Amino acid sequence: MREASTGAERELPSSGSSGSSGARTRGAADGSGQDALPAAQQELLRRAIRLERWTLAAVALGVLLVGALAGQSQSMKAAWMEDSLSLLPPLAFLIAARRIRRRPTPEHPYGHHRSIGMAHMVASVALLGMGAFLVIDSATTLLSRERAPVGITVIAGHAMWTGWLMILVMALTTIGPVILGRKKAKLAEPLHDKVLYADADMNKADWQSALATIVGVLGIGIGWWWADAVCALLISASIIHDGVKNLRGAVRGLADARARTYDDSASHPLTREVVSVAEREAWVREAAARVRDEGHVFHVELFVVPAEGTPAELARLCEDLRERIRDIDWKLHDIVVAPVTEIPAAQVGGTA
Amino acid sequence: MPSAPARGAALALLLALLASGCGLPRDADGALERASGGTLVVGIAENPPSTEIHDDGSVSGEEVDLVQEYARSIDAQVEWVPGGEGELARQMRAGDLDLLIGGLAADSSLEGDIALTRPYAVAPGPDGEEIEHVLGVRSGENALLVSVETHLASRSGEL
């Protein structure tokens, strides 16, 4: 696409809206290793990693418990499937969080922060998959008029309706997602982490569908064999909505669309701020910025027109060089020439 | 996070179900209530030694004894409906039978149409593998299923 910026001096805007990018060393094209994050965000990231490890443990435990109890019950089998799907977002997050520790190299001049965007994609697809699975499963149950049999379980010499046991287990499996989901949702904005945001949606889907299973099992208990499927259908609508919202955001992000807020609800205000800061410079007459989301951190290309009276020499030389590069090959299509005082270390040898 | 009205509605539904749920589970079609003190309709497919159907229409076998014992416990008369397994499964799905016996195994392919009980016995099959013997109950009739399973569990001494 482009042979791009060994960027001008810039400060990577790494926080969402809290504006706490704080005092950091400024460097040209410092890429996006984990050290692209300021201390406050590094601490948030560490907390997010701990949360996701807990999520993984809680969901894995749920998968084991529900799997052991599922038996002939369609709703419990569905709950088991959903729990298995909700392993994906935390796994994707933890893998991505490891990858972004790597520093940019000539081979990866932009660094590895895009892993966050890819993890967001994985998490969104898992969420959408869960919603779609719920719809298909409940529709099948309703159409084929399947009536779930739930018998007894003998515990220490006492017969107990297995339905009560299922309700107990499902109630237990809601605790983790409710707590963890809320904590993740709080971190998603200050860390500008869309994987966390999607995973918080996944946790919401987890506890809501567990609640639907509880209502469904109670429904089975009073002879309403369809209650289970109807509850699941109602909840699947909101899960699919969240899945589509996240997937659209993830696709936009990976396609280098203009950076958006952590919840993809609006254009990120930092794009406008970059331009207005540039235009406040005395030598700049006009500026425009392309800002894309690398995951946590943004990547900025800034175009400036020098004001009248400043030596126009440099701007014209940059323009000529850009033309010559474009003539080399049709694939060199989108070129930004940015004057710097020194070539950044990570970019040395990048043309090999 | 979910809207407060949605949570409120879910909670209200939950409470309503719990309040009405003390006698859970109940049957979708009230089979147990109908059979208690009345007639238990049992489909029987021949599969000796579990079930045998004689020329004079009488039935015998381990599972026949089991069903009669259970029927006595709920004060019911047994009406036997002999037939092939497939035909009986169809009748059960149509709601014409309460129970189905015929040497069914726990991994029976009838699963889905018919609720299989917990195993009442484990015996070696023709190839020497362990087979868990179960009875079939009409799907959705969970009070009947619980009643039959409780009988099986107390009979095997688990309760």
Side-chain angles (χ1 to χ4, degrees):
Chain A
M1 266 184 65
R2 83 196 71 79
E3 179 58 42
S5 74
T6 45
E9 281 208 335
R10 66 194 173 139
E11 191 167 294
L12 282 176
S14 48
S15 76
S17 61
S18 52
S20 57
S21 40
R24 287 190 303 125
T25 51
R26 310 167 91 201
D30 48 3
S32 56
Q34 194 178 14
D35 47 7
L37 300 179
Q41 269 64 29
Q42 297 232 22
E43 174 54 30
L44 291 179
L45 182 60
R46 273 192 290 275
R47 266 165 58 193
I49 289 172
R50 276 200 298 275
L51 277 178
E52 292 293 18
R53 286 195 180 135
W54 277 109
T55 306
L56 215 50
V59 175
L61 187 68
V63 166
L64 287 177
L65 271 175
V66 174
L69 259 177
Q72 248 178 304
S73 159
Q74 206 55 41
S75 57
M76 290 294 275
K77 278 184 199 166
W80 183 83
M81 251 314 271
E82 291 153 31
D83 280 356
S84 307
L85 270 178
S86 32
L87 286 171
L88 281 175
L91 271 177
F93 178 89
L94 289 172
I95 292 170
R98 281 191 75 83
R99 277 201 73 89
I100 61 169
R101 285 196 216 153
R102 301 185 188 187
R103 293 197 53 82
T105 59
E107 193 56 32
H108 289 273
Y110 294 97
H112 296 266
H113 245 97
R114 265 294 159 85
S115 319
I116 297 291
M118 293 176 211
H120 185 213
M121 179 70 123
V122 170
S124 320
V125 170
L127 191 57
L128 191 58
M130 178 166 163
F133 173 80
L134 264 180
V135 169
I136 293 168
D137 186 64
S138 340
T140 315
T141 304
L142 284 178
L143 291 176
S144 64
R145 311 178 67 80
E146 270 167 38
R147 300 174 170 216
V150 182
I152 62 163
T153 302
V154 176
I155 298 172
H158 291 279
M160 185 187 193
W161 183 46
T162 310
W164 295 126
L165 217 57
M166 290 175 173
I167 288 168
L168 182 70
V169 167
M170 294 319 292
L172 286 177
T173 62
T174 59
I175 297 173
V178 166
I179 297 173
L180 293 165
R182 273 166 189 259
K183 285 179 182 273
K184 284 177 213 168
K186 276 190 201 132
L187 287 184
E189 186 176 2
L191 190 55
H192 187 75
D193 193 312
K194 296 181 178 182
V195 193
L196 275 184
Y197 181 76
D199 195 26
D201 277 348
M202 188 67 156
N203 288 151
K204 188 176 75 179
D206 282 340
W207 71 255
Q208 285 186 344
S209 62
L211 208 62
T213 307
I214 291 176
V215 174
V217 170
L218 285 172
I220 289 170
I222 60 173
W224 295 353
W225 58 272
W226 42 263
D228 192 12
V230 169
C231 285
L233 268 183
L234 289 179
I235 276 166
S236 61
S238 95
I239 299 177
I240 284 183
H241 174 263
D242 286 347
V244 168
K245 178 185 69 183
N246 276 289
L247 186 58
R248 286 183 56 173
V251 168
R252 265 200 291 228
L254 289 181
D256 287 342
R258 174 201 278 251
R260 294 181 79 82
T261 52
Y262 74 103
D263 56 0
D264 287 303
S265 63
S267 287
H268 204 287
L270 279 174
T271 304
R272 258 166 285 140
E273 205 178 321
V274 165
V275 173
S276 68
V277 165
E279 286 181 340
R280 253 178 268 145
E281 293 284 322
W283 64 276
V284 172
R285 194 181 75 205
E286 202 182 341
R290 290 195 299 205
V291 178
R292 59 193 160 143
D293 191 343
E294 295 276 312
H296 296 157
V297 292
F298 290 173
H299 184 229
V300 183
E301 286 155 329
L302 184 64
F303 304 88
V304 291
V305 180
E308 304 286 337
T310 49
E313 199 61 8
L314 181 62
R316 200 170 50 247
L317 289 174
C318 285
E319 195 65 27
D320 291 347
L321 180 55
R322 204 170 70 87
E323 287 294 317
R324 247 170 301 170
I325 291 170
R326 192 161 59 189
D327 291 341
I328 299 173
D329 191 297
W330 61 269
K331 289 193 285 300
L332 301 174
H333 161 70
D334 183 355
I335 302 147
V336 177
V337 176
V340 290
T341 52
E342 195 184 337
I343 299 294
Q347 311 295 334
V348 175
T351 52
Chain B
M1 284 293 116
S3 64
R7 248 184 296 175
L11 198 65
L13 186 53
L14 208 62
L15 287 176
L17 283 165
L18 278 173
S20 66
C22 295
L24 296 192
R26 287 185 221 147
D27 288 333
D29 285 341
L32 178 62
E33 207 179 333
R34 205 209 58 243
S36 300
T39 309
L40 186 69
V41 187
V42 183
I44 176 167
E46 183 145 40
N47 193 352
S50 303
T51 51
E52 287 177 70
I53 304 173
H54 305 288
D55 293 340
D56 61 355
S58 66
V59 294
S60 66
E62 189 188 356
E63 291 185 0
V64 170
D65 297 342
L66 197 57
V67 166
Q68 258 151 359
E69 192 184 294
Y70 168 69
R72 266 197 301 281
S73 78
I74 60 164
D75 195 23
Q77 296 293 318
V78 180
E79 179 189 331
W80 298 104
V81 180
E85 216 177 70
E87 166 60 15
L88 291 173
R90 200 194 56 73
Q91 288 186 41
M92 183 164 249
R93 204 166 162 72
D96 298 333
L97 303 176
D98 298 324
L99 299 185
L100 171 58
I101 60 171
L104 298 178
D107 56 359
S108 161
S109 59
L110 291 172
E111 188 179 337
D113 287 353
I114 292 172
L116 302 176
T117 61
R118 68 209 320 276
Y120 68 85
V122 180
D127 304 326
E129 78 279 22
E130 298 274 278
I131 291 186
E132 294 184 320
H133 289 276
V134 299
L135 310 180
V137 179
R138 197 197 318 167
S139 236
E141 304 307 284
N142 286 317
L144 181 62
L145 178 62
V146 164
S147 164
V148 172
E149 286 197 326
T150 307
H151 179 76
L152 296 179
S154 55
R155 191 175 160 276
S156 68
E158 281 179 83
L159 292 182

